[in-house]
Amino acid sequence: MKRLAAPDRKVCVACGVCMKACPKNAISIYKGCYALVEEATCVGCGLCAKVCPAGCIVIHERSEAK
Ligand code: SF4
Ligand code: SF4
């Protein structure tokens, strides 16, 4: 099972801390409003969730896309 980071758009304050912490560069700040995770690039390491000051990133399990 692969894992995917899912920031909560309603809670995210667009600080960019997660973006800087991501080793895969999978996060961007969408229109300066909230963190957006590129699903194909994210490896589910959870680093972004650890550093987010708002605690709004959850790591979800996801089934392998075929
Ligand atoms: S879980 Fe890891 S790879 Fe995925 S967005 Fe967060 S820091 Fe990047
Ligand atoms: S660290 Fe948290 S609050 Fe900051 S941009 Fe990322 S998801 Fe949003």
Side-chain angles (χ1 to χ4, degrees):
M1 195 73 87
K2 284 192 78 177
R3 305 195 316 155
L4 172 70
D8 186 334
R9 289 175 192 183
K10 296 195 189 85
V11 184
C12 174
V13 295
C15 64
V17 170
C18 57
M19 188 174 75
K20 291 192 190 106
C22 177
K24 304 298 280 182
N25 263 330
I27 306 179
S28 55
I29 303 297
Y30 183 72
K31 292 188 175 174
C33 293
Y34 55 80
L36 193 66
V37 174
E38 194 181 312
E39 295 192 15
T41 312
C42 173
V43 293
C45 66
L47 276 175
C48 55
K50 276 196 195 119
V51 298
C52 174
C56 70
I57 304 181
V58 178
I59 306 294
H60 288 300
E61 303 261 298
R62 59 172 167 177
S63 36
E64 210 72 59
K66 285 249 166 89

